[in-house]
Amino acid sequence: MSNALSTLETTEAGALKIVSVPCLNDNFAYLVQDTASGNVALIDAPEAGPVEAALSVLGWTLTHILITHHHGDHVDGVAALRGEGVAVIGSSADSHRLPELTQAVTPGESFRWGDIEVRVIDTPGHTVGHIVYHMPEPGVLFSGDTLFAMGCGRLFEGTAQQMWGGLEALAGLPEETVVFFGHEYTAANADFALTVDPENPALRARVAAVIETLETGGRTTPTTIALEKATNPFLRAVSPEVARQVGLPDADPATVFAEVRRRKDAA
């Protein structure tokens, strides 16, 4: 095994092989091979170099690029990677500020990627045009900058109410759904989570595991919906414990979420 291949972390889910590709300072791109069809998709393109290197080592040929949102650290590599025949897929609502799309998709719709159904979920908040990609079978989610391990995206364009709506939709997915997120922010997210959910034993256990993973050079992607519902303070806006901790014991979850997000922004 080459040194380059040994640094690639692969998750298998049904017919899919999913490889996390670190990019820039803390981004993750994901190469996804459907072993049944031979299709290879890239989820977001922060930069071309690491993706091209990974494709070379794996011996895969890129066929699709799926974009979650328009920020440069998710699309700047598209131009160099979109060779002849590579389909570029993104939100129709954001097509005016995305790289040129060969397929514009609408939140709420599904499309076929080979034999795989891909559901497009609307998650405005980080940006108003942010979407995520859910593959119900085999049960994976590419959450971009909406849902992180123990965190969520900063509200650059949307409102707290919009972001909460998107997070609620993701929390409603099957708990075994495997979640691949866009940034390695987990250490900072863990530190913050303990400030608003300090008595949560599941959180404390997870933080210890994260520290060990990162100290040994590992990555914290992927996660699962079940683990996020148990330990992510933003999804736990439904929890009376978090509501009390932020001084809003009688508030609705959307209001609690907004306060948790405000505190994270100020941290």
Side-chain angles (χ1 to χ4, degrees), residues 7-8 19-31 42-55 72-78 81 181-185 219 221:
T7 66
L8 298 176
V19 176
S20 61
V21 182
C23 295
L24 303 174
N25 293 325
D26 51 37
N27 282 73
F28 288 121
Y30 296 97
L31 285 167
L42 173 66
I43 314 299
D44 284 334
E47 59 178 334
V51 175
E52 291 170 333
L55 286 167
D73 65 329
H74 290 257
V75 302
D76 280 353
V78 171
L81 292 164
F181 49 86
H183 288 271
E184 183 60 272
Y185 291 159
R219 300 170 196 162
T221 186

Side-chain angles (χ1 to χ4, degrees), residues 219-231:
R219 300 170 196 162
T220 62
T221 186
T223 180
T224 66
I225 291 296
L227 188 54
E228 294 314 305
K229 288 172 72 172
T231 62

Side-chain angles (χ1 to χ4, degrees), residues 92-169:
S92 58
D94 243 9
S95 60
H96 62 287
R97 56 181 183 174
L98 292 173
E100 183 179 358
L101 303 177
T102 58
Q103 182 178 350
V105 294
T106 302
E109 77 166 89
S110 297
F111 64 93
R112 305 297 299 186
W113 177 61
D115 293 330
I116 304 292
E117 178 191 9
V118 182
R119 295 181 180 174
V120 182
I121 302 175
D122 192 24
T123 57
H126 183 65
T127 69
V128 294
H130 198 297
I131 58 174
V132 301
Y133 298 97
H134 176 223
M135 300 176 183
E137 180 56 49
V140 298
L141 172 72
F142 297 95
S143 63
D145 283 3
T146 292
L147 180 65
F148 300 127
M150 291 180 281
C152 75
R154 186 181 291 268
L155 304 179
F156 285 115
E157 295 179 356
T159 66
Q161 184 69 49
Q162 286 177 309
M163 178 65 97
W164 175 245
L167 291 174
E168 272 194 308

Side-chain angles (χ1 to χ4, degrees), residues 170-236:
L170 301 188
L173 296 176
E175 293 201 340
E176 64 272 18
T177 301
V178 182
V179 182
F180 298 85
F181 49 86
H183 288 271
E184 183 60 272
Y185 291 159
T186 309
N189 289 345
D191 287 344
F192 172 75
L194 289 170
T195 70
V196 294
D197 201 9
E199 305 304 320
N200 181 348
L203 174 60
R204 290 186 170 275
R206 187 180 186 189
V207 170
V210 162
I211 291 170
E212 182 177 358
T213 295
L214 294 175
E215 286 183 345
T216 57
R219 300 170 196 162
T220 62
T221 186
T223 180
T224 66
I225 291 296
L227 188 54
E228 294 314 305
K229 288 172 72 172
T231 62
N232 187 317
F234 298 100
L235 294 189
R236 280 178 52 78

